[in-house]
Every structure is written in C-alpha cells, then in structure tokens.
Amino acid sequence: MNDFVEFFSFSDTNIRYVTLGSVLLASSSAVVGCFTLLRKRALVGDAVAHAVLPGVCLAFILSGTKNPFILLLGAFVTGWLSLVAIDFITARSRIKEDTAIGLVLSVFFGVGILLLTAIQHSGNAAQSGLDKFLFGKAASLVGEDLIAFAIVAVLLLVTTIIFYKELTLLCFDQAYAKTIGFPVRLLELLLTTLTVFAVVVGIQAVGVVLMAAMLITPAAAARFWTDKLSLMLVLAALIGAFSGVAGAFVSYTAPAMPTGPWIVLIVSMIAILSFAFAPKKGWVSRLLRQRRNKTQILEENLLKLMYQLGEQKPNYDAPRQLHELLERRAIPQKEAKAGLKRLQNQGYVEKLPSGWKLSSQGQRRGERVVRLHRLWELYLTQYLHLASDHVHEDAETIEHIITPELEQKLIEELDFPVMDPHSARIP
C-alpha cells in the first residue's frame, strides 16, 4: 500500500518522467496502430521497428552524441526508407508484401547490429547505453527524452485529428477515395510517416524488439469492443495509457523488472481478455451465441414437426409421442427431451399423460417456421430457378433467421402465394 501511495502521488521526479513518458508512448502509438491494423499492414510496424536501429547507430556515429532528437531523426530516416523499400520491392517485382517485409526487416536489422557492434568496439565512451535501443530503457527516461516523446506524441495526435476523415476513407474504401479526388498516394505517405514516428518515439522505451506490440496490440484489443473507428481510437489510446501506467508501477514496486517488457505484457493481457470476453466478438460470447442459436433451432424444429404432424389429420391439438417426432427427424432423444422441456417452461407445449401437445402460442410459432420454410423454397424455385428437390436443405437453414420484415417482403414478392413447390399449403 505504501508503494501504491508513493507511486501515484508522483512526488518523485523519476516516477513522473517514466510514467508520463510511458503513457505518451503507448497512447500515441496505439492511435496510429489503429489505422495500420485496419489497412491490414500490421507487420509493417515490426519491419519499421527493426529498421530504425541502423538509423540510430548512424546518427550516433555522425554526431558523436546521444542527443535524443538526433538519434530519433536518424531512426526516422531509416524507418521511413524501410517502408519505401517495401513498397518498391512489392511494386517492381513478383515478391509479395509479406516476403518484402521479412526481407527488409532482416537486412536493416542485420546492418543495425553490425553498426552497433562496431560502435561498442570503437572505444567511444559516449556509446554507453546505446544498446538500450534493442530492449528499451523506459525506467531510465529523463526530462530530455520526455520532451521528445511529448513533441512526437502531440504531432501524431494532432495530425490524426486533422486528417481523420481522409485516413478513415483510405482505410475503408481506397477506390472511392480515388474516385472523389483524394490524393491517395499522399495519404499513404502520411500514414507511413505517422507509423514511422510512432515506432521511432517508442523504441527508447520498449526497444526495437517489442515496439511492434505497442503499435498493434492496443488497436487489436480495441477492435474487439467496437465497430466505430472514433471509439476504437479512444479505446486503443486508453488501453495504451493504462498499460504504460501499470508497467511503470510494476517496475517501480519490483526494481528488477524492466518497464518496457511489462508494458507490453500488460497490454497483451488486456488483448487476450478482449479476445475472450468482448461482448460481441469475443470467443466466449461467440460460443454462447452459437449455443443459443443451436437451442433456438432445436426448439423451432420440434415445433415445426408437431405442426406438420397436425397438418396430416388435420388436428393441431392432438398429443404427440416423442417417438413420432423422432421418426420424422433424426434428433438425439436426450436433446429432444431437453428441448421439449424448455418449450414447456416457455408455454409453447403442454405435457399430458398421452404425450406433448402444442399450446396456441406454440402452434403460431410452429406455423410461422413452416411458412418461412415453404416461402423460401418457393422463392428459390421461382427466382433462382432451382429444382424443387434441391431447395429443402437450404430452407432448413434459412427458416430460422428470416426476420418479420424479410418475411413480409417475400410474401409480397411471391404475390401472396398459397402453395409451395411441393404443392403443400403455405399457412
């Protein structure tokens, strides 16, 4: 508790630098990462992250100092050249983008390692700590680093706000953007530049190895919670900021723990929880939805069977034995019993000593399923010209998802039909 109070009081200058730097890094990279993710260029961030290392080394060799602005400038140049190289290779050869990314990543990173090794053996005393660009040094950020972070973060956020509409159109409908006269190529260069800036500003905190995670993971997590881009940007920034604060806190309470990797680990944990428990797109909600759909289909099939048996007499009020239903459709007996029990609890069927009987409510629901099945069969034969013996399976699936609006439209399109393709009455 003492560590918690001391950390969040931000009385220590180092705590302020590390926390604010981590927040600026994580939130600004996450915003740019949203556009990169939506353009399906997630691996580009990894390529740029590895490609900035030779730029950092060259900037140090030429300047002889570790001034963060000079190092960031060198990182920006080689990072931007790496993206230009990827686009050039993809456009001018038969090599696909993923191969070009792997090629550029390995070549630039290899050159960076060679230059870093040469610097370490040069005897230059100022090179101490330069290797931190490989794995980050968030826990040792100083005021000069923070100023650089703040300038780049503000630049990224302001540019995103100004060009929000253009970047959105570029991500979702590039062809339409060209049609209405947007400078698509310039917009692509702008997004490329923003991506490079986001990577460059982050390598000092988490290093070239982990920077791709900071760019893409918050955006991927946010994507599971919303379909609206503006909300996705806000969520990604908040996830990134929270990860930055949490990573700095863990590093403060456990000094042996590096800040950068903990930031990545926390944002990855948030992403995993999002993948699992997001309300609409998480795999848990998908499993629950599939289970609900399976239950609904079983219940409607049972009501449909009971209604069809009633059509034969016709007598919809007659009790039906379970074996009568199972003879007409191959449903596991255990599932059928459970389905009938649920229908009884919902008031659709009644349990009598002589069998199961449709209630008036159940009769109406069963009648609707039969009607939708036969309407769809008729639609397929009349509009798609399918043979009448080839439409049953398709109707078995579609009957459970047709909305009342679509049902009414089908009836009108088919001119209020009375018989289906098999000469059965449409109720």
Side-chain angles (χ1 to χ4, degrees), residues 32-52:
V32 176
C34 289
F35 294 105
T36 305
L37 177 72
L38 292 173
R39 292 207 68 212
K40 298 179 175 61
R41 303 195 74 190
L43 286 176
V44 166
D46 200 22
V48 175
H50 286 76
V52 298

Side-chain angles (χ1 to χ4, degrees), residues 382-395:
Q382 287 193 6
Y383 283 86
L384 298 184
H385 307 292
L386 298 180
S388 59
D389 58 345
H390 284 65
V391 296
H392 177 74
E393 291 299 324
D394 191 68

Side-chain angles (χ1 to χ4, degrees), residues 375-423:
L375 282 172
W376 192 252
E377 287 187 331
L378 186 60
Y379 176 80
L380 292 179
T381 55
Q382 287 193 6
Y383 283 86
L384 298 184
H385 307 292
L386 298 180
S388 59
D389 58 345
H390 284 65
V391 296
H392 177 74
E393 291 299 324
D394 191 68
E396 281 287 310
T397 303
I398 205 71
E399 67 190 21
H400 301 289
I401 59 175
I402 294 179
T403 62
E405 294 79 12
L406 184 55
E407 176 187 357
Q408 184 61 34
K409 190 172 182 180
L410 277 173
I411 293 172
E412 294 172 359
E413 287 285 335
L414 296 169
D415 196 20
F416 302 91
V418 177
M419 308 296 287
D420 76 353
H422 309 288
S423 300

Side-chain angles (χ1 to χ4, degrees), residues 6-18:
E6 186 176 352
F7 179 85
F8 285 100
S9 66
F10 299 112
S11 56
D12 187 279
T13 304
N14 188 54
I15 292 177
R16 290 199 298 270
Y17 286 160
V18 173

Side-chain angles (χ1 to χ4, degrees), residues 294-304 339 342-343 346 348 365:
K294 184 178 179 181
T295 299
Q296 176 189 336
I297 291 171
L298 173 63
E299 293 174 354
E300 291 185 347
N301 283 337
L302 290 170
L303 293 173
K304 180 175 70 173
R342 285 193 299 269
L343 289 170
Q346 297 169 28
Y348 289 112
R365 188 177 175 189

Side-chain angles (χ1 to χ4, degrees), residues 261-281:
W262 264 105
I263 294 174
V264 173
L265 182 60
I266 291 169
V267 77
S268 299
M269 291 171 62
I270 294 173
I272 291 171
L273 292 175
S274 300
F275 300 160
F277 300 108
K280 293 182 180 179
K281 300 179 182 179

Side-chain angles (χ1 to χ4, degrees), residues 17-72:
Y17 286 160
V18 173
T19 304
L20 186 54
S22 300
V23 168
L24 288 172
L25 150 73
S27 56
S28 59
S29 338
V31 169
V32 176
C34 289
F35 294 105
T36 305
L37 177 72
L38 292 173
R39 292 207 68 212
K40 298 179 175 61
R41 303 195 74 190
L43 286 176
V44 166
D46 200 22
V48 175
H50 286 76
V52 298
L53 184 59
V56 171
C57 295
L58 285 172
F60 175 78
I61 292 172
L62 295 175
S63 67
T65 66
K66 290 189 296 182
N67 184 296
F69 288 99
I70 296 176
L71 297 181
L72 290 180

